[in-house]
Amino acid sequence: MHRFFGRKKKKKAPEGKKTTLDDVSKNIDTRGTEIDGKLKKIETELSILRKKIKKTRPNSAARRTLSNKARALIRQRNMYSKNREHLYNQQFNVDQTKFAQDNIKNTKEMVDAMKSARDDLKVGLEETNIDEIEDLHDDMDELLDEQEEINEIMGRTYGVPEELDDDELMDELDTLEDEFEEEEEEEKETETPAYLVSAAAAANNEVKATEGKTVVSPVEAKKVEAKEAEDILA
């Protein structure tokens, strides 16, 4: 029968989840936390026993009982401390291995990226023609030169003489200086002399001073003096 129909293939057992270094590190942390809790609990119990032993009499049954319990706790503490030290060493080894694994992964990614960049550069250089780039650069230079010439032509002014040379420039400046001196002389001739200005100013001041006072005639002054004399004699 098996020769005609064959045998049933045995199903493979499903593979379990692959354990990673992160999983191992997490388990170590969990175990370390549990041991730290137990050590803390033992230290608390030992502290309480220490106080009780001090209160009991030497060589008493109570002291012996408490001392035996303390010795048992100390043995447990030493055992947990030793296990905790082993876990520290295991954690260090796992972290070191994980660090090396991450370095390899990063290196592989960097190499892949560099290979991809190399291929892109090769394709880009193959599609680029250096002669075309040089021709393009020459064309741009010619176009910019032509544009500069156009700007110079469009910037020309109409009806304005060309630039002066040094001699013509000095002649123009001398002419302007002569005209400026003539204008200054004309201004000086039209100005009022200083002594006339002073006299006119003094006259104006006297007029202003007399405007606020009352003018008395000589006859009226004599009448006022006579009246004052009569008043004194009376």
Side-chain angles (χ1 to χ4, degrees), residues 7 13 89 120 139 146 164 170 177 221:
R7 296 187 179 185
N89 294 332
D120 293 339
D139 293 340
E146 291 178 1
L164 303 175
M170 292 304 297
E177 187 176 358

Side-chain angles (χ1 to χ4, degrees), residues 23-39 80 82-88 90-91:
D23 297 333
V24 175
S25 179
K26 186 177 179 180
N27 292 334
I28 293 174
D29 288 338
T30 302
R31 289 169 58 192
T33 303
E34 292 177 356
I35 292 176
D36 289 338
K38 291 179 180 180
L39 287 172
Y80 286 129
K82 190 175 182 179
N83 290 334
R84 190 69 182 95
E85 186 177 355
H86 291 325
L87 288 176
Y88 281 136
Q90 291 175 7
Q91 184 68 54

Side-chain angles (χ1 to χ4, degrees), residues 125-138:
L125 290 174
E126 289 175 357
E127 295 176 354
T128 303
N129 190 337
I130 296 177
D131 295 333
E132 290 181 359
I133 295 175
E134 290 181 351
D135 294 339
L136 177 62
H137 191 273
D138 294 338

Side-chain angles (χ1 to χ4, degrees), residues 38-193:
K38 291 179 180 180
L39 287 172
K40 187 176 180 180
K41 183 179 179 181
I42 291 173
E43 291 292 344
T44 303
E45 292 178 358
L46 285 173
S47 179
I48 295 171
L49 286 174
R50 191 179 300 110
K51 293 178 182 178
K52 289 181 178 180
I53 290 172
K54 287 182 179 180
K55 294 179 180 180
T56 57
R57 291 179 298 173
N59 299 324
S60 62
R63 172 166 282 200
R64 285 195 295 271
T65 301
L66 293 173
S67 297
N68 291 333
K69 189 174 182 181
R71 292 189 186 94
L73 289 174
I74 289 172
R75 284 194 294 270
Q76 290 181 9
R77 184 191 64 183
N78 294 337
M79 179 190 67
Y80 286 129
S81 297
K82 190 175 182 179
N83 290 334
R84 190 69 182 95
E85 186 177 355
H86 291 325
L87 288 176
Y88 281 136
N89 294 332
Q90 291 175 7
Q91 184 68 54
F92 175 77
N93 294 332
V94 170
D95 291 341
Q96 192 174 13
T97 305
K98 189 174 182 301
F99 183 74
Q101 187 182 36
D102 292 338
N103 281 340
I104 293 174
K105 183 179 178 182
N106 293 335
T107 302
K108 184 177 180 300
E109 291 176 354
M110 184 177 67
V111 171
D112 292 339
M114 291 177 69
K115 288 180 179 179
S116 178
R118 179 199 60 190
D119 296 337
D120 293 339
L121 285 172
K122 283 184 177 180
V123 173
L125 290 174
E126 289 175 357
E127 295 176 354
T128 303
N129 190 337
I130 296 177
D131 295 333
E132 290 181 359
I133 295 175
E134 290 181 351
D135 294 339
L136 177 62
H137 191 273
D138 294 338
D139 293 340
M140 290 298 297
D141 286 339
E142 292 178 1
L143 290 173
L144 291 174
D145 291 339
E146 291 178 1
Q147 182 64 36
E148 186 65 24
E149 291 180 3
I150 293 172
N151 291 336
E152 290 179 0
I153 294 171
M154 297 303 296
R156 292 177 183 174
T157 54
Y158 302 100
V160 178
E162 296 180 356
E163 293 184 358
L164 303 175
D165 58 15
D166 292 341
D167 295 335
E168 292 175 344
L169 177 62
M170 292 304 297
D171 293 338
E172 289 288 337
L173 292 176
D174 292 338
T175 303
L176 290 174
E177 187 176 358
D178 294 339
E179 292 177 358
F180 181 72
E181 289 177 356
E182 290 177 0
E183 290 177 359
E184 285 185 345
E185 290 178 358
E186 291 177 359
E187 290 178 357
K188 289 179 181 179
E189 291 176 357
T190 55
E191 288 180 354
T192 304

